[in-house]
Amino acid sequence: MPVRTVVWGENIHENTSALVRSIYPDGMHMTIANALNSDAAIKATTATLQEPEHGLSEARLAGTDVLVWWGHKAHGEVSDAVVERVARRVWEGMGLIVLHSGHFSKIFKRLMGTPCALKWREAGERERLWTINPRHPIASGLDESFVLENEEMYGEQFSVPEPLETVFISWFQGGEVFRSGLTWRRGAGNIFYFRPGHETYPTYHDANIQKVLINAVKWAHNPQGDLKSITDAPNVPVEKAHEPITERGPKLHQPGKAGYR
Amino acid sequence: MPVRTVVWGENIHENTSALVRSIYPDGMHMTIANALNSDAAIKATTATLQEPEHGLSEARLAGTDVLVWWGHKAHGEVSDAVVERVARRVWEGMGLIVLHSGHFSKIFKRLMGTPCALKWREAGERERLWTINPRHPIASGLDESFVLENEEMYGEQFSVPEPLETVFISWFQGGEVFRSGLTWRRGAGNIFYFRPGHETYPTYHDANIQKVLINAVKWAHNPQGDLKSITDAPNVPVEKAHEPITERGPKLHQPGKAGYR
Amino acid sequence: MPVRTVVWGENIHENTSALVRSIYPDGMHMTIANALNSDAAIKATTATLQEPEHGLSEARLAGTDVLVWWGHKAHGEVSDAVVERVARRVWEGMGLIVLHSGHFSKIFKRLMGTPCALKWREAGERERLWTINPRHPIASGLDESFVLENEEMYGEQFSVPEPLETVFISWFQGGEVFRSGLTWRRGAGNIFYFRPGHETYPTYHDANIQKVLINAVKWAHNPQGDLKSITDAPNVPVEKAHEPITERGPKLHQPGKAGYR
Amino acid sequence: MPVRTVVWGENIHENTSALVRSIYPDGMHMTIANALNSDAAIKATTATLQEPEHGLSEARLAGTDVLVWWGHKAHGEVSDAVVERVARRVWEGMGLIVLHSGHFSKIFKRLMGTPCALKWREAGERERLWTINPRHPIASGLDESFVLENEEMYGEQFSVPEPLETVFISWFQGGEVFRSGLTWRRGAGNIFYFRPGHETYPTYHDANIQKVLINAVKWAHNPQGDLKSITDAPNVPVEKAHEPITERGPKLHQPGKAGYR
């Protein structure tokens, strides 16, 4: 069964900027989804900010293996309820791939627990991405480095938690560096942040970028079923202890009561 | 200069439960603060839920190097504004030590970005803590293992991010295990979670526990000054690039404008 | 194509101890290989200490995706040349699964760079393994905990590098704990250490243990081809620099010379 | 008491190259030691390849808190016995700082368990080091980036284990990036690799570099005493188990016998 993937797009600049529309006439989300669908192991659809519940209803998310997120101008317009819903699905095992300006999205900051800030410069300068972890599944089929001739610069400090693994580091023409490909696991969910993708450049039409996205979706997919219990805090009664024990000492909680949260 | 430490206590069961009051007549926070103050390198004071702004005003936090947090019954009563204030101070470099039932505190969940859930059983069973990282600063002066004869059980899965280092793992009489001492860094702030400390047992009077708390405060202290810029996302103009570059291609942002957040 | 797996067995106690032979009449390696072969996605064969080159010739290893290692009594008899050969293959991308007393094997110590020491007691006591990272591929299909009624105890400190992820932690009847399932990546190779497997107990006949081994082989397999360049230290000449630069200042190395090693 | 530090220098190019001697007339090790001694909290002496036991006798190492290592041309001439001695001291708690071409030293490869390979180019190009972990103790007092106008290039992949923390990443004029400051813990010992320091440039006279070295020595120092037991694998007899257990089942080892290694 292919990896059921939803590409979420903010879908604003595609409609308000003639420039962005000229590069992504069907929207960035559609370009990304089409690239993912070029691999038979993936079945990608799209969702946008403007749809009811931003296209991310409980039912939709329940049938989603991996969510890809691109947002920039309207992070604040994403409903907190949807953000919590997505976070919970990630903890249960849904993969999440956060792209470029999505570093400041509510969902990424929610899952990282840090500011996720960085430096930036919009000058169309050259970016060279180095694969520092060759044979990582996300780097499959890539050369040791590849170039995007025009990109927005992002510079360190990128205030995120120390990652599980660093896959890519970018070199910028103006003198900065950036950890452009980072992985984390949160609950049962795999998370990948991938830096490139400023909307005024044709980044998502680039063959290397598309390869990374396809690899990342496959890597993020956790085929083992949802860990619905991830937020539970069950009481284990004395009589169900694995080893026989006798209750001793005073206690606060009455039998059968849930704990405090 | 001693490490300026604030011990935050929920301060409810000490006032509503005769049992808890009998163990901690001045409040758990006071017992902990007194233990910390037995070391001349620490200057500990206290704050409680009931004080204005829970005792954690901007000014108070600005003069705090390390915050110790114990809460259980009333996590929901902690104001979201104070939680955000504390989170920002941690990112800037304030140390944070979260105790026992504080695993479900708003501030811990905020900084971890995960459910922070676990199993539990209140049966006064035996807990043996193993130091799995000897010579870690937090384990200074401890034996390879030590016992709390009566404690609440916490069992895995503990749904937190993979830690920087695991310092302690607990063995429980009823058959469970738990990663009882874990470290993380978030922004410039050091975070330590320490499991023991159920309010119906005299855990914070235990000499080994007090040693861990003193060690942890010293470890969490970042003496290098606040990283006030941790949440900034500065634009680096083309003319200030480290290497000379020429602006190329189209752009979204007008000169001098801040980015989207 | 199935994962080409070699199960390496020391194959001594099976021949010198009637007890061990009674449990593993065809050798422990054969029991493990048979278990792996019960999954169609794996094709497991065996190799033993007594074969020429311990059964691990260059050619054999070149066709091996994952190596499983069990040794105990005769670590010192394994040839250093074979150890280096295996290490190189791991860096190039071959998976390695080290079992039980293999913690003191030359190959494991070589790849960890630490003593890999631990406590032990051979008393047939009860071991309970807790899955602390549910939905990790290696924990697929397991309950949150499972029991081995008789096992050798291993206790912390286990002097290995901080792992990439901790998958299992064991509880022992006698009061110890142990990180029983740990992952690392070294070069392009995935490494998994799995604690159970003392030769005087029928551990490798246990269904849960067999499930872990099958999962681990699949997880360790890196399908992306060998990273033959992992030990290279290539000079990048000035004229092949990605960005045009001019050689400046003095230098030690003459053009075309290799660096020092 | 100041941190007892030994700066180990290969001390060859200083004697065979007029150029290197002109930059480091007393040897690179002496320049580094003098820089460290500018901080009253450090007491640095030197040792060189040419001394008996390379200046690293058992007695000398027993009184050393932190060892700084620079080698390049003669890694192979360092005695294996001394390498094992140093490794053991690191596991026991001695800090180790490996500089520049020391990436290929026997001791670094021994402790990492990986090839430690990288790309290189000796062209005197510009290197800009970015502090990606501000307020890490090793980055104390540094700007967010600083420049070495002439350095040898090192490029990724740097085949070392995923670090505990990444402190610096370098940008090179010719288009490469490199993780220039990485930390690990092995046993009780803290290890820091720091990239700059090619012998044909005056790198160790640079104020920022000297600041990093001073910070690194203080960070690497573990003041808690040697963990002499780090290589022990003690048997815990049944009668000394923490919890009462009865020996069950068959066993291999006779009472009082050591385990196999």
Side-chain angles (χ1 to χ4, degrees):
Chain A
M1 196 170 73
V3 181
R4 300 165 301 173
T5 306
V6 172
V7 181
W8 191 90
E10 190 180 86
N11 193 33
I12 294 182
H13 283 129
E14 295 95 325
N15 292 303
T16 60
S17 157
L19 165 68
V20 176
R21 188 162 50 236
S22 73
I23 306 172
Y24 299 108
D26 299 317
M28 302 176 80
H29 46 286
M30 199 59 81
T31 299
I32 294 170
N34 288 343
L36 296 176
N37 282 324
S38 72
D39 191 296
I42 299 174
K43 175 78 192 81
T45 55
T46 66
T48 58
L49 176 68
Q50 296 78 22
E51 298 172 36
E53 303 183 70
H54 314 317
L56 300 173
S57 65
E58 284 280 3
R60 180 85 181 275
L61 285 174
T64 300
D65 297 317
V66 177
L67 178 64
V68 180
W69 193 278
W70 194 98
H72 187 187
K73 184 192 175 66
H75 296 315
E77 294 175 31
V78 177
S79 120
D80 289 341
V82 169
V83 170
E84 286 306 300
R85 189 186 291 166
V86 172
R88 191 191 165 103
R89 279 289 296 141
V90 170
W91 300 331
E92 289 175 357
M94 183 180 74
L96 179 68
I97 297 168
V98 176
L99 300 175
H100 190 63
S101 42
H103 72 90
F104 261 163
S105 64
K106 284 183 178 179
I107 182 61
F108 189 59
K109 293 190 293 183
R110 175 70 177 89
L111 290 166
M112 295 292 108
T114 57
C116 305
L118 47 78
K119 294 187 179 54
W120 60 281
R121 178 174 54 233
E122 193 189 17
E125 69 201 271
R126 183 155 54 253
E127 174 179 15
R128 180 173 292 103
L129 289 103
W130 287 91
T131 300
I132 71 156
N133 194 336
R135 301 300 185 272
H136 189 286
I138 296 179
S140 182
L142 294 172
D143 287 341
E144 65 175 20
S145 75
F146 62 95
V147 167
L148 297 166
E149 189 53 38
N150 295 104
E151 253 294 350
E152 186 180 19
M153 181 280 286
Y154 277 8
E156 295 275 350
Q157 183 198 14
F158 184 24
S159 48
V160 289
E162 196 75 17
L164 198 64
E165 297 183 291
T166 303
V167 184
F168 302 111
I169 296 179
S170 286
W171 176 102
F172 287 97
Q173 200 180 353
E176 282 88 358
V177 295
F178 196 78
R179 291 171 293 167
S180 282
L182 300 172
T183 71
W184 299 267
R185 189 178 174 96
R186 291 294 181 266
N190 296 311
I191 302 175
F192 180 59
Y193 175 80
F194 190 48
R195 197 215 75 80
H198 192 56
E199 61 264 53
T200 61
Y201 313 117
T203 299
Y204 293 117
H205 294 289
D206 181 90
N208 285 312
I209 296 296
Q210 293 187 355
K211 197 173 293 184
V212 171
L213 296 178
I214 289 170
N215 291 341
V217 165
K218 293 177 183 175
W219 168 86
H221 179 216
N222 191 336
Q224 305 181 59
D226 300 343
L227 185 64
K228 287 290 181 193
S229 65
I230 185 76
T231 55
D232 295 352
N235 178 254
V236 183
V238 170
E239 62 274 17
K240 293 199 177 164
H242 294 278
E243 303 286 325
I245 54 172
T246 307
E247 192 174 308
R248 303 185 299 181
K251 63 189 294 184
L252 275 178
H253 300 275
Q254 299 312 309
K257 294 285 184 177
Y260 305 120
R261 296 190 76 120
Chain B
M1 196 169 74
V3 181
R4 300 166 301 175
T5 306
V6 171
V7 180
W8 191 89
E10 191 179 86
N11 193 33
I12 293 181
H13 283 131
E14 296 96 324
N15 292 304
T16 59
S17 157
L19 166 69
V20 177
R21 189 163 50 237
S22 74
I23 305 172
Y24 299 108
D26 300 317
M28 302 175 80
H29 47 286
M30 199 59 82
T31 298
I32 294 169
N34 288 343
L36 296 176
N37 282 324
S38 72
D39 190 298
I42 299 173
K43 175 77 192 80
T45 56
T46 65
T48 57
L49 176 68
Q50 297 77 21
E51 298 172 38
E53 303 182 70
H54 314 317
L56 300 173
S57 66
E58 284 279 4
R60 181 87 182 273
L61 285 174
T64 300
D65 296 317
V66 178
L67 178 63
V68 180
W69 193 279
W70 194 100
H72 188 189
K73 184 190 175 64
H75 296 315
E77 295 176 29
V78 177
S79 119
D80 289 341
V82 169
V83 170
E84 285 305 300
R85 190 186 290 166
V86 171
R88 190 190 166 104
R89 278 290 295 141
V90 170
W91 300 331
E92 290 176 358
M94 183 180 75
L96 179 68
I97 296 167
V98 176
L99 300 176
H100 190 63
S101 42
H103 72 90
F104 260 164
S105 64
K106 285 184 178 178
I107 182 62
F108 190 58
K109 292 190 294 183
R110 175 70 176 89
L111 290 166
M112 294 293 106
T114 56
C116 304
L118 46 78
K119 295 186 178 56
W120 61 281
R121 177 174 56 234
E122 193 189 16
E125 70 201 271
R126 184 155 54 255
E127 173 179 16
R128 181 173 290 102
L129 290 102
W130 287 91
T131 300
I132 71 156
N133 194 337
R135 301 300 185 273
H136 190 287
I138 295 178
S140 183
L142 294 172
D143 287 342
E144 65 175 20
S145 76
F146 62 94
V147 166
L148 297 167
E149 190 51 38
N150 296 103
E151 253 295 349
E152 185 180 19
M153 181 280 287
Y154 278 9
E156 296 276 350
Q157 179 196 15
F158 184 23
S159 48
V160 290
E162 196 75 15
L164 198 64
E165 298 182 292
T166 303
V167 184
F168 302 110
I169 295 179
S170 286
W171 176 101
F172 286 96
Q173 200 180 354
E176 284 88 358
V177 295
F178 197 78
R179 291 170 293 167
S180 283
L182 299 172
T183 72
W184 298 267
R185 188 179 175 98
R186 291 296 181 263
N190 296 310
I191 302 175
F192 180 59
Y193 174 80
F194 190 48
R195 197 214 75 81
H198 192 56
E199 61 263 53
T200 61
Y201 313 118
T203 299
Y204 293 117
H205 294 289
D206 180 89
N208 284 313
I209 297 296
Q210 293 188 356
K211 199 173 292 184
V212 171
L213 296 178
I214 289 170
N215 290 342
V217 164
K218 293 176 182 175
W219 169 85
H221 178 216
N222 191 336
Q224 305 182 59
D226 300 343
L227 184 63
K228 287 290 181 192
S229 63
I230 186 74
T231 56
D232 296 350
N235 177 255
V236 184
V238 169
E239 62 275 16
K240 291 198 178 166
H242 292 280
E243 302 286 324
I245 54 172
T246 306
E247 191 174 308
R248 303 186 299 181
K251 63 190 294 184
L252 274 178
H253 299 276
Q254 299 311 309
K257 293 285 182 177
Y260 306 119
R261 297 190 77 119
Chain C
M1 196 170 73
V3 181
R4 300 166 301 173
T5 305
V6 172
V7 180
W8 190 89
E10 191 180 85
N11 193 33
I12 293 180
H13 283 131
E14 295 95 326
N15 293 304
T16 60
S17 158
L19 166 68
V20 176
R21 190 165 47 237
S22 74
I23 305 173
Y24 299 107
D26 300 317
M28 303 175 80
H29 46 286
M30 199 59 80
T31 299
I32 294 170
N34 289 343
L36 296 176
N37 282 324
S38 73
D39 191 297
I42 299 175
K43 175 79 193 79
T45 57
T46 66
T48 58
L49 177 67
Q50 296 78 21
E51 298 172 38
E53 302 183 72
H54 315 316
L56 301 173
S57 66
E58 284 279 4
R60 180 88 183 274
L61 285 174
T64 300
D65 296 319
V66 177
L67 178 64
V68 180
W69 193 278
W70 193 99
H72 187 189
K73 184 190 176 63
H75 296 315
E77 295 175 32
V78 177
S79 120
D80 289 341
V82 170
V83 170
E84 285 306 301
R85 190 185 292 166
V86 172
R88 190 190 166 104
R89 279 289 296 140
V90 171
W91 301 331
E92 289 176 356
M94 183 180 74
L96 179 68
I97 296 169
V98 176
L99 299 176
H100 190 63
S101 42
H103 73 90
F104 261 163
S105 63
K106 285 183 178 179
I107 182 60
F108 189 58
K109 293 191 293 183
R110 174 73 177 87
L111 291 166
M112 295 292 107
T114 56
C116 304
L118 47 77
K119 294 186 179 56
W120 60 282
R121 179 175 53 232
E122 193 189 16
E125 68 202 273
R126 182 154 56 254
E127 173 179 15
R128 181 173 290 103
L129 290 102
W130 287 91
T131 300
I132 72 157
N133 193 337
R135 302 300 187 273
H136 189 287
I138 296 179
S140 183
L142 294 171
D143 286 343
E144 64 175 21
S145 76
F146 62 95
V147 166
L148 297 166
E149 189 53 37
N150 295 104
E151 253 296 348
E152 186 180 19
M153 181 281 287
Y154 277 8
E156 297 275 350
Q157 180 197 12
F158 185 23
S159 47
V160 290
E162 196 76 16
L164 198 64
E165 298 183 291
T166 303
V167 183
F168 301 111
I169 295 179
S170 286
W171 176 102
F172 287 97
Q173 199 179 355
E176 283 87 358
V177 295
F178 196 77
R179 290 170 293 165
S180 282
L182 299 173
T183 72
W184 298 268
R185 189 180 174 96
R186 291 295 181 264
N190 296 311
I191 302 175
F192 180 59
Y193 174 80
F194 190 48
R195 196 214 76 80
H198 192 56
E199 60 266 52
T200 61
Y201 313 116
T203 299
Y204 295 117
H205 294 289
D206 181 88
N208 285 312
I209 297 296
Q210 294 187 354
K211 197 173 291 183
V212 171
L213 296 177
I214 289 169
N215 291 340
V217 165
K218 294 177 182 176
W219 168 85
H221 178 216
N222 191 337
Q224 306 182 58
D226 299 344
L227 185 64
K228 288 288 179 194
S229 64
I230 185 76
T231 56
D232 296 350
N235 177 254
V236 183
V238 170
E239 62 274 16
K240 292 198 175 165
H242 293 278
E243 302 286 326
I245 55 172
T246 306
E247 192 175 307
R248 303 185 299 181
K251 64 189 294 184
L252 276 178
H253 300 275
Q254 298 312 309
K257 295 284 182 178
Y260 306 120
R261 297 191 76 121
Chain D
M1 194 171 74
V3 181
R4 299 165 302 174
T5 305
V6 172
V7 181
W8 191 89
E10 190 180 86
N11 192 33
I12 293 180
H13 282 131
E14 295 95 325
N15 293 304
T16 59
S17 158
L19 166 68
V20 176
R21 190 163 49 236
S22 74
I23 305 172
Y24 298 107
D26 299 318
M28 302 175 80
H29 46 286
M30 199 58 82
T31 299
I32 294 169
N34 288 343
L36 296 176
N37 281 323
S38 73
D39 190 297
I42 299 174
K43 176 77 192 80
T45 56
T46 66
T48 58
L49 176 67
Q50 296 78 21
E51 299 172 38
E53 303 182 70
H54 315 318
L56 300 173
S57 66
E58 284 280 3
R60 180 86 182 276
L61 285 174
T64 300
D65 297 317
V66 177
L67 178 64
V68 179
W69 193 278
W70 194 99
H72 187 188
K73 183 190 177 64
H75 296 315
E77 296 175 29
V78 177
S79 118
D80 289 341
V82 170
V83 170
E84 285 307 299
R85 190 185 292 164
V86 172
R88 192 192 163 102
R89 278 290 296 141
V90 170
W91 300 332
E92 290 176 357
M94 183 180 74
L96 178 69
I97 296 168
V98 176
L99 300 176
H100 189 64
S101 41
H103 72 90
F104 260 164
S105 63
K106 284 184 178 179
I107 183 61
F108 189 58
K109 291 190 293 183
R110 174 72 177 88
L111 290 166
M112 295 292 107
T114 56
C116 305
L118 45 79
K119 295 186 178 57
W120 61 281
R121 178 174 54 233
E122 194 189 15
E125 70 201 271
R126 184 156 53 254
E127 174 179 15
R128 180 173 291 103
L129 290 104
W130 286 91
T131 300
I132 72 155
N133 194 336
R135 299 302 184 274
H136 190 285
I138 295 178
S140 182
L142 294 172
D143 287 342
E144 65 175 20
S145 76
F146 62 95
V147 167
L148 297 167
E149 189 53 36
N150 295 103
E151 253 296 348
E152 186 180 18
M153 181 280 287
Y154 277 8
E156 297 275 351
Q157 180 196 13
F158 184 24
S159 49
V160 290
E162 197 76 16
L164 198 64
E165 298 183 291
T166 303
V167 183
F168 301 111
I169 295 179
S170 286
W171 175 102
F172 287 96
Q173 199 180 354
E176 283 88 358
V177 295
F178 196 78
R179 290 169 294 165
S180 282
L182 299 172
T183 73
W184 299 268
R185 187 178 175 98
R186 289 297 180 265
N190 297 310
I191 302 175
F192 180 59
Y193 175 80
F194 190 49
R195 198 214 74 82
H198 192 56
E199 60 264 51
T200 61
Y201 314 116
T203 299
Y204 294 116
H205 294 290
D206 180 88
N208 285 312
I209 296 296
Q210 294 188 355
K211 198 173 292 183
V212 171
L213 295 177
I214 289 170
N215 290 342
V217 165
K218 294 178 183 176
W219 168 85
H221 178 217
N222 191 336
Q224 304 181 61
D226 299 344
L227 185 64
K228 288 288 180 193
S229 64
I230 185 75
T231 55
D232 296 350
N235 177 254
V236 183
V238 170
E239 62 274 17
K240 291 197 177 166
H242 293 280
E243 303 286 325
I245 54 173
T246 306
E247 192 174 307
R248 303 186 297 181
K251 62 188 296 183
L252 275 179
H253 299 276
Q254 299 312 308
K257 294 283 181 177
Y260 305 119
R261 297 191 75 121

